[in-house]
Amino acid sequence: LMVRGEIRTAVEYLEQLLDTEEFIDNTIDTAWLDKIIASKGLAAGYQAHLVVAASALARAYSRFEEERGMIQTTLSKGQQPSSTNLANALSVGVEVTYESMKYD
């Protein structure tokens, strides 16, 4: 079994809802949640720099593993790895787009 992507729960979001002043004061009505969702008043709480860094590290590691595999295959054949493979294993450029912002 392989799971790719994130497994998320709504616990953090529900905690934020319960901590709102309107909920605590019991002044909510049927449109209260709709207003919060429409205004995007509550965030999931992920810090952008951590999301971007984690994504970049995961992508760089994946690319490194691909290059490492190619180098090992080449060495197992008794050949010398190309300078491109060696350079790619040492320096990997990645691009991440998060919340409509591109990082590279």
Side-chain angles (χ1 to χ4, degrees), residues 17-78:
L17 285 175
L18 296 175
D19 286 338
T20 62
E21 192 172 314
E22 294 87 357
F23 190 88
I24 292 169
D25 294 339
N26 196 25
T27 57
I28 59 174
D29 58 21
T30 56
W32 169 73
L33 186 56
D34 292 332
K35 290 177 199 171
I36 290 175
I37 292 170
S39 69
K40 296 186 180 184
L42 295 178
Y46 298 109
Q47 296 178 11
H49 68 281
L50 295 178
V51 172
V52 171
S55 179
L57 284 171
R59 289 181 181 188
Y61 179 76
S62 177
R63 298 254 319 267
F64 169 78
E65 285 297 309
E66 288 175 18
E67 291 297 331
R68 185 174 71 92
M70 291 170 63
I71 291 169
Q72 284 180 327
T73 301
T74 303
L75 290 172
S76 70
K77 294 177 182 177

